Amino acid sequence: MANAWQAYVDHMLSSGIQMGGIYGQDGNVWAASPLMKATPQEVAAIVSGLRSQSFEQGVHIGGQKYTVIRFQSDSVTAKCRTAPQEDQKYLLHACLGKTCVLIGGICGPAERDCTKKVEDLRDYLAGNNI
């Protein structure tokens, strides 16, 4: 299934997302960029947090903790403040689609665009019943 979804991840990257992935709501990877190191357990925890509206432990991707900045019923935005290097302090946005969860991250001055870029792709997929 990953090959069919890779074009969407590639689109995320071409729009400025630096790390991204599309996952099943069970946490299994459908496609991901090389920098995206989310485990199935970490993605499943994001989905669970969105469903319960609780992120007491923050968000974790690739073993790094992200501090939740904002969350809504179907999305969460979080910032990695503890990465050892500045170029690893991503702003991360994750949102639920109809059948999947999309995660994207941007580090640096363009990070403010992360939410819109990830949600635009989610909305496109939702318009196609995905």
Side-chain angles (χ1 to χ4, degrees), residues 7-29:
Y8 294 110
V9 172
D10 292 345
H11 173 77
M12 288 171 71
L13 297 176
S14 70
S15 75
I17 296 292
Q18 296 165 337
M19 69 170 187
I22 302 174
Y23 300 83
Q25 291 189 6
D26 59 359
N28 287 316
V29 65

Side-chain angles (χ1 to χ4, degrees), residues 9 14 21 24 26 30 41 44 58 61 68-69 72 81-82 89 91-93 95 105 109 121-122 124 126 128:
V9 172
S14 70
D26 59 359
W30 291 4
Q41 295 82 9
I61 296 290
V68 173
I69 297 171
Q72 299 175 334
R81 302 185 193 279
T82 59
K89 294 183 177 179
L91 181 76
L92 182 84
H93 187 73
C95 57
L121 179 56
R122 187 263 320 261
Y124 171 80
N128 287 289

Side-chain angles (χ1 to χ4, degrees), residues 72-100:
Q72 299 175 334
S73 62
D74 63 352
S75 67
V76 61
T77 304
K79 175 76 174 176
C80 182
R81 302 185 193 279
T82 59
Q85 298 175 0
E86 284 299 314
D87 65 352
Q88 296 172 338
K89 294 183 177 179
Y90 288 92
L91 181 76
L92 182 84
H93 187 73
C95 57
L96 291 176
K98 290 185 178 185
T99 60
C100 59

Side-chain angles (χ1 to χ4, degrees), residues 21-71:
I22 302 174
Y23 300 83
Q25 291 189 6
D26 59 359
N28 287 316
V29 65
W30 291 4
S33 70
L35 293 177
M36 178 55 81
K37 305 297 183 196
T39 66
Q41 295 82 9
E42 291 169 335
V43 176
I46 291 170
V47 173
S48 176
L50 287 170
R51 289 183 175 151
S52 68
Q53 291 293 280
S54 175
F55 287 95
E56 290 179 20
Q57 302 299 316
V59 170
H60 293 82
I61 296 290
Q64 286 285 341
K65 181 177 180 179
Y66 289 72
T67 303
V68 173
I69 297 171
R70 174 180 64 241
F71 66 91

